[in-house]
Amino acid sequence: MSDMVSYDTLQYSRALDAHNDSQDMHKPHNTRTKQTKPIPTRWRPPSSFIPRLIFRIMCFCLTFHWNLDFMWEIFREPNGWENFHTLYLTQINQLSTVQGLVLTTVAVFISTPPPLKQINYAADGPYTLLSESLVFSLFGLLFQLYTSVVGQGYQKQKTFKALKRNRWLFLFHIIILSIPVYIFSISLLLLLFAISVTGFWSSSTSAQIFTGATFALLFACLFVSILPSPVYSRLYKILWRITDDADDDDADDNDNYELDKEHSEKEAGGTEFA
C-alpha cells in the first residue's frame, strides 16, 4: 500500500505541472537576459584624452561609430571573422569592375578632343580634375588587386588573434581594407566635378541649365536612397544625440517573439487538422 499513490494526488501534480508550463509560455520575452561575451579591454578607447580622441575620430571616419563595440558583436559570432572578410572580398571584386569603368571613362575624356567648342572639357580646370581622377583610378585598381590577393590570409583565425591583441593594430587593418573604397570614391568625385565644371563653365546657357538640373536630380535621388540606410540612421542619432539602441533591441525581440508565437500557433493548428 505504501508504494501506491492516490488518484487525487496524481491529478493535483498534473494540474500543477500544466500551470507552471503555461506560466513559462506566457512569461514576457523581454525579461530574458542575453549572455554575451564583453568586448576585450584592449579594444576599448584609451584612458588618456588625446589617444582616446584620436581613437574615436579614426573609428568614426572608418566605421561611422565612436568605438569598436559593433565590430566585436560581429566577430564574436561563429565564423564572424571569416564571413566578414568573405563578404568584403566579394564587394571588392564588384568595386574593381566599377573602378575599371571609371578609368575607361576618364581615359576617353582625356584622349578625345571636345566635339563642341561651347563644352570644352579640355580647359585647365576640367582637364586637371580628369587627370587626377585617372591617377586615383589607376592606384585604386592596384590597391584593389593587392587587397584581393592578400585578402585570403585575412580570413584566417590566427590573423584575428594577432589583431585582437591591440586596438591600434585592428584599426590599421580596417584602414587597409578601407583604402580601396576611399580611393574609388575620390576618383569618382573628381570625375563628377570635372563634368560639372565643364557644364557650368560652358558658354552655352542650355548646357548650364541642363547640368544644374541633372545634378539637382542626382543629389535628390542620392538623398532619398540614403534615408533608409544604416549610415543615415547612425548620423541622425549622433547629430541629435539619440541613444535608443536598447529600446530598439527590446522592440526587435518582442517582434521576433510575436512572429515565433504566431508561427507555432499555425503549426499547431496544422497538426490538429492533420
Side-chain angles (χ1 to χ4, degrees):
M1 296 291 293
S2 60
D3 296 335
M4 297 180 62
V5 181
S6 65
Y7 178 76
D8 294 336
T9 303
L10 289 175
Q11 289 293 101
Y12 175 77
S13 177
R14 291 175 182 176
L16 182 61
D17 293 339
H19 177 72
N20 293 332
D21 292 340
S22 63
Q23 291 293 328
D24 293 337
M25 290 180 62
H26 292 84
K27 189 177 182 180
H29 183 71
N30 53 9
T31 58
R32 296 184 303 176
T33 58
K34 298 180 181 179
Q35 300 294 332
T36 59
K37 189 176 181 180
I39 185 172
T41 306
R42 295 182 295 268
W43 277 34
R44 295 175 183 175
S47 57
S48 302
F49 175 73
I50 295 179
R52 183 172 67 251
L53 180 62
I54 296 175
F55 176 81
R56 291 189 180 279
I57 292 175
M58 291 180 64
C59 288
F60 182 78
C61 293
L62 296 174
T63 63
F64 289 100
H65 290 76
W66 294 111
N67 49 46
L68 297 176
D69 292 349
F70 86 105
M71 299 293 289
W72 177 250
E73 291 293 328
I74 297 175
F75 298 147
R76 72 178 178 83
E77 297 292 336
N79 300 324
W81 178 262
E82 293 84 354
N83 295 335
F84 172 80
H85 286 83
T86 300
L87 179 61
Y88 170 79
L89 292 177
T90 302
Q91 294 178 347
I92 280 295
N93 293 331
Q94 297 174 355
L95 187 65
S96 299
T97 303
V98 183
Q99 185 73 82
L101 295 175
V102 174
L103 176 62
T104 304
T105 304
V106 174
V108 169
F109 275 115
I110 290 179
S111 60
T112 305
L116 297 175
K117 295 181 180 181
Q118 294 84 357
I119 305 176
N120 185 16
Y121 52 79
D124 294 339
Y127 193 84
T128 302
L129 293 173
L130 290 172
S131 301
E132 291 296 324
S133 178
L134 179 66
V135 173
F136 276 97
S137 298
L138 289 173
F139 278 99
L141 286 176
L142 292 177
F143 274 106
Q144 291 159 18
L145 178 61
Y146 167 79
T147 308
S148 299
V149 172
V150 303
Q152 302 298 328
Y154 293 157
Q155 296 178 338
K156 299 179 181 178
Q157 278 293 328
K158 65 179 182 180
T159 304
F160 178 60
K161 293 179 181 180
L163 296 175
K164 192 169 61 174
R165 300 172 184 172
N166 190 284
R167 63 177 69 89
W168 300 108
L169 287 177
F170 181 77
L171 278 180
F172 283 120
H173 175 69
I174 298 298
I175 289 175
I176 294 174
L177 299 182
S178 303
I179 285 176
V181 180
Y182 281 110
I183 292 180
F184 166 75
S185 302
I186 293 173
S187 64
L188 182 60
L189 288 176
L190 288 172
L191 175 59
L192 293 177
F193 285 154
I195 295 175
S196 62
V197 169
T198 302
F200 287 120
W201 284 6
S202 174
S203 58
S204 174
T205 306
S206 59
Q208 296 176 357
I209 294 174
F210 279 112
T211 302
T214 300
F215 277 92
L217 179 61
L218 290 177
F219 279 117
C221 294
L222 179 62
F223 179 75
V224 172
S225 64
I226 289 176
L227 287 179
S229 66
V231 176
Y232 172 79
S233 60
R234 185 64 187 175
L235 289 175
Y236 179 82
K237 291 178 181 179
I238 291 174
L239 293 176
W240 294 97
R241 298 180 181 179
I242 298 175
T243 57
D244 56 351
D245 293 338
D247 297 336
D248 293 341
D249 293 339
D250 294 339
D252 293 339
D253 292 339
N254 292 330
D255 293 339
N256 293 332
Y257 173 70
E258 294 296 333
L259 290 175
D260 294 339
K261 183 179 179 181
E262 182 180 356
H263 183 67
S264 61
E265 290 177 354
K266 289 182 180 180
E267 288 184 349
T271 54
E272 289 178 0
F273 286 109

